[in-house]
Amino acid sequence: MIGPSVTRVSLIDANLDNATTGIKTILTDHNLIHKGQAFTVSNKVDIAASKVAGLSFLTPADKYVHFKPSGIASSGGPITVSLLEDYTFTGGSDFPPVNRRRVGTPTAAETVVKVAADITAAAGTNPVSMEMLLIPSSTQGQTKLEAAGGSTEEWVLKPGTSYLLAISNPTASTVTVGYSLFWYEEDGY
């Protein structure tokens, strides 16, 4: 029973779905795309025999980066993909992320991304191996791992920290790897 000191709150009709009269909601990823805080990098790299390609990420000091790899595919032999914290590499080239909001003037990502087809990883003072994935070869010569809608699990990365996505080719021939990575940048909690 509502007493005299309780105020009733009603929903604004604009937040209700016309057909179901349910409250309209969207997922956090979708909301942050609309806000211009979601980013992607997609590309392919040819990795020579017994070499390691890398993508390094330096997270902004004042934001939390929610990292959700979307897909990795390999043609040819097997590959190993590792996500490492407090790792870097020298060389490579900057790879500007693309804002997923393509309306107006998209905000630039604060996360700095660098790529290289042949790296030697260097561990910092507190290195952590966060995740490792083996993508095996197949009899057709095509190997694939995809999560087209994005992973439902994410990594919330430390602000101001270096991360490395290392892609290893253990075979005796060149392997082409395609990847699509997704993240959003959120102000501190």
Side-chain angles (χ1 to χ4, degrees):
M1 182 163 158
I2 298 177
S5 64
V6 176
T7 305
R8 288 184 181 241
V9 177
S10 29
L11 297 171
I12 299 171
D13 288 337
N15 288 332
L16 298 179
D17 180 75
N18 290 337
T20 66
T21 66
I23 300 172
K24 294 179 190 176
T25 61
I26 61 175
L27 298 174
T28 300
D29 295 0
H30 191 154
N31 182 46
L32 291 168
I33 289 170
H34 283 249
K35 288 183 171 184
Q37 294 174 257
F39 304 91
T40 191
V41 291
S42 296
N43 205 354
K44 72 175 184 72
V45 61
D46 293 324
I47 308 171
S50 302
K51 299 293 182 180
V52 179
L55 288 91
S56 70
F57 301 86
L58 176 59
T59 58
D62 61 345
K63 297 200 186 279
Y64 288 97
V65 172
H66 299 248
F67 181 69
K68 297 174 73 168
S70 297
I72 299 174
S74 164
S75 69
I79 59 171
T80 302
V81 182
S82 302
L83 180 60
L84 308 166
E85 182 178 84
D86 195 20
Y87 278 81
T88 59
F89 63 84
T90 56
S93 56
D94 289 343
F95 193 84
V98 175
N99 190 314
R100 299 287 296 255
R101 178 184 164 102
R102 304 309 303 157
V103 178
T105 305
T107 304
E110 291 186 37
T111 300
V112 177
V113 180
K114 190 170 67 165
V115 298
D118 182 10
I119 67 161
T120 301
T125 55
N126 296 303
V128 176
S129 178
M130 297 168 50
E131 192 166 7
M132 192 277 297
L133 174 68
L134 171 67
I135 301 177
S137 61
S138 70
T139 55
Q140 287 81 23
Q142 298 294 317
T143 307
K144 189 189 287 201
L145 174 72
E146 291 185 15
S151 173
T152 57
E153 297 178 4
E154 64 183 37
W155 287 96
V156 181
L157 305 181
K158 289 181 190 177
T161 303
S162 294
Y163 291 87
L164 174 62
L165 188 71
I167 306 170
S168 304
N169 174 11
T171 71
S173 59
T174 298
V175 173
T176 300
V177 176
Y179 55 85
S180 182
L181 309 176
F182 171 82
W183 71 92
Y184 55 91
E185 298 174 353
E186 187 175 45
D187 292 330
Y189 298 132

